Amino acid sequence: MQEILVTANEAGQRFDKLLAKYLNEAPKSFLYKMLRKKNIVLNGKKAAGNEKLEIGDRIQLFLSDDTIEKFSKIQIKRTTQNLNFIYEDDNILMVNKPVGMLSQKAEDTDESLVEHIITYLLQSGQITEESLRKFRPSVCNRLDRNTSGIVVAGKSLAGLQEMGELFRTRSLKKFYRCLVFGEVRETQHIKEYLKKDEKTNKVTVFSSPKKNSLPIETEYTPLWSNADCTFLEVHLITGRTHQIRAHLASVDHPIIGDYKYGNRKINDRYQEKYGLKSQLLHAFRLELPELSGTLHAVSQKQFIAPLPELFERILEGETHKNGNMEFERTSGVYFGRIH
């Protein structure tokens, strides 16, 4: 017999959901059969599985150790890469994700930011392999593999759920920095419609609604510009797949380095000059609303992820064409006139 004591990381979820995590190799039919036969009980009583768990609840598994071991597989892929942390408390952490890293793995063999975070939490003693049977820290937002910048992860169930809800309801503000082709002189606020092709993992932007399309809203402001390119701050109001990349391309300002939605000839020029192999798009800043409870520590705060070194180097190289520009490294902002 094994006993599980419900903690804050398990409370609030259905009993059967926790069992499916703990005995993650067991068929659902097996779990419900064990509940019916009282081989799995909650607080010493027969349970249906739909009960909401509370802190202090006790789950008894009247199963052999061999059976539990057979149906409970902890798969941990430890990693070696050091993370660039922006913020951390008991419930959440924020990471400056590098270009080339997945936010979450798509295949079992992938190595993603989630695996790096779990490895860090294991090595720092904040979680144990046993605790991973019941709750796995994960990310609250995702960035494309070749987009860098702020990703927030939940270390606790409450942190994961509450921060995830802020992203889902757009209760926080997300700002990106990017370098685009062409000259942008004024702030723009554009609203259109986006439709995704699941087969090609590519989206198309339309000026009017189409079947299965979704509304998108993007605001962008030039920080500096010349005849060739513009450094933009983008306020991502909605958050659809490839929204910034496709939306800017649709108004003839594709992101430099973006081979999916951009201009190959221009991208090749930057690759040859700087070694650029991915889009110059960076999740730069998060602005949090007033918060209480689990997330009170980040209430009304803003967090900034410094630009990648290559991004900075390209910006500095391109501003040689702009004699009156001065780069402030700590904020990633250029000060000066827009030509």
Side-chain angles (χ1 to χ4, degrees), residues 177 284 307 312 326-335:
R177 296 283 168 90
F284 180 71
L307 295 173
E312 282 193 353
E326 181 180 348
F327 186 59
E328 173 58 54
R329 286 182 177 273
T330 57
S331 64
V333 176
Y334 279 84
F335 297 96

Side-chain angles (χ1 to χ4, degrees), residues 13 169 174 185 205 212:
Q13 63 183 305
T169 59
K174 300 176 286 185
R185 290 180 172 270
V205 174
N212 298 323

Side-chain angles (χ1 to χ4, degrees), residues 45-90:
K45 299 179 182 178
K46 184 177 180 179
N50 60 354
E51 296 82 359
K52 281 289 183 70
L53 296 174
E54 299 180 358
I55 296 175
D57 282 344
R58 293 183 179 276
I59 301 164
Q60 289 87 30
L61 306 177
F62 294 99
L63 305 171
S64 69
D65 291 341
D66 288 344
T67 299
I68 293 174
E69 183 178 352
K70 173 185 175 183
F71 287 134
S72 182
K73 302 294 184 183
I74 303 176
Q75 298 178 345
I76 302 169
K77 187 174 183 179
R78 293 179 181 262
T79 64
T80 58
Q81 182 167 334
N82 293 324
L83 298 175
N84 183 359
F85 292 103
I86 298 167
Y87 173 82
E88 182 176 9
D89 62 27
D90 290 340

Side-chain angles (χ1 to χ4, degrees), residues 248-301:
L248 290 174
S250 75
V251 294
D252 299 322
H253 295 296
I255 296 174
I256 290 170
D258 188 349
Y259 279 90
K260 179 168 280 193
Y261 299 101
N263 184 302
R264 175 169 290 276
K265 184 177 180 180
I266 294 167
N267 294 339
D268 287 346
R269 193 173 75 224
Y270 277 81
Q271 186 177 80
E272 182 178 352
K273 184 176 181 180
Y274 297 104
L276 179 66
K277 297 180 180 179
S278 59
Q279 66 262 12
L280 289 173
L281 177 62
H282 180 75
F284 180 71
R285 186 171 78 253
L286 280 182
E287 295 182 358
L288 282 297
E290 185 173 356
L291 300 164
S292 58
T294 301
L295 301 178
H296 74 279
V298 295
S299 177
Q300 296 183 301
K301 291 186 178 180

Side-chain angles (χ1 to χ4, degrees), residues 15-16 19 23 26-42 45-49 59-64 67-68 71:
F15 184 22
D16 53 2
L19 289 176
L23 300 172
K28 287 186 178 180
S29 58
F30 173 82
L31 297 178
Y32 288 115
K33 181 180 179 180
M34 294 301 98
L35 288 170
R36 288 195 303 271
K37 296 181 68 175
K38 295 175 63 175
N39 287 333
I40 300 176
V41 299
L42 177 63
K45 299 179 182 178
K46 184 177 180 179
I59 301 164
Q60 289 87 30
L61 306 177
F62 294 99
L63 305 171
S64 69
T67 299
I68 293 174
F71 287 134

Side-chain angles (χ1 to χ4, degrees), residues 94-146:
M94 299 184 190
V95 178
N96 190 354
K97 185 187 83 68
V99 168
M101 181 183 290
L102 289 168
S103 297
Q104 287 181 307
K105 62 181 182 179
E107 306 289 341
D108 288 340
T109 55
D110 288 338
E111 184 177 288
S112 73
L113 180 59
V114 172
E115 281 68 56
H116 292 297
I117 288 171
I118 288 175
T119 297
Y120 159 72
L121 294 173
L122 285 168
Q123 290 176 343
S124 60
Q126 298 185 59
I127 61 173
T128 63
E129 291 190 6
E130 180 65 24
S131 71
L132 289 173
R133 293 178 185 268
K134 298 177 287 183
F135 170 73
R136 277 185 175 254
S138 189
V139 294
C140 307
N141 65 309
R142 290 178 290 177
L143 299 178
D144 294 339
R145 181 195 288 268
N146 289 321

